[in-house]
Amino acid sequence: MEYMAVTTITKEKIAEYLRANLGFSGVICEEIVSDVFESATDLIVEEGGLKIKNLGSFAIHQKKARPGMNLHTGEKVEIPARTVVQFAPSRNLKKRLNNAE
């Protein structure tokens, strides 16, 4: 299986893309992007998840504590319980990914 290189995109890059394509000022675009990300984060935390049509769903899941091992020392350790965010891609995103091959 061949993997594509992962590109890191920053809020600044998204704001620059919006500025170039919409013609708004850079400051306004940065505020829009920041507000969107802050709102998305708030919804995930407060509502337990977020669904974005044609992209996918973000959901909060609780992981139980479990036994583990320190690979350097071989010592057995307890991995504590924690809260994580999981992403599930939409059908449309899966279809685009599979047709891109």
Side-chain angles (χ1 to χ4, degrees):
M1 174 184 250
E2 186 177 322
Y3 292 99
M4 296 175 62
V6 176
T7 302
T8 300
I9 187 163
T10 63
K11 289 192 282 185
E12 290 79 16
K13 286 181 184 177
I14 295 170
E16 177 58 29
Y17 176 83
L18 292 176
R19 187 198 62 73
N21 288 293
L22 299 178
F24 295 142
S25 76
V27 173
I28 290 173
C29 290
E30 286 180 19
E31 286 179 16
I32 291 169
V33 173
S34 289
D35 287 348
V36 167
F37 277 90
E38 188 174 326
S39 296
T41 302
D42 289 346
L43 284 169
I44 291 169
V45 171
E46 294 168 9
E47 302 293 329
L50 171 67
K51 187 174 190 176
I52 301 174
K53 189 174 180 177
N54 296 325
L55 181 65
S57 300
F58 297 86
I60 293 177
H61 289 279
Q62 303 295 326
K63 286 191 154 191
K64 296 179 182 176
R66 61 192 192 279
M69 184 184 342
N70 181 325
L71 296 177
H72 294 284
T73 65
E75 176 186 0
K76 291 185 179 184
V77 295
E78 178 79 9
I79 300 171
R82 61 193 174 119
T83 303
V84 297
V85 176
Q86 291 183 333
F87 175 73
S90 70
R91 253 187 258 147
N92 289 344
L93 179 55
K94 287 180 188 178
K95 193 183 297 184
R96 283 192 65 188
L97 289 171
N98 290 314
N99 288 336
E101 296 174 357

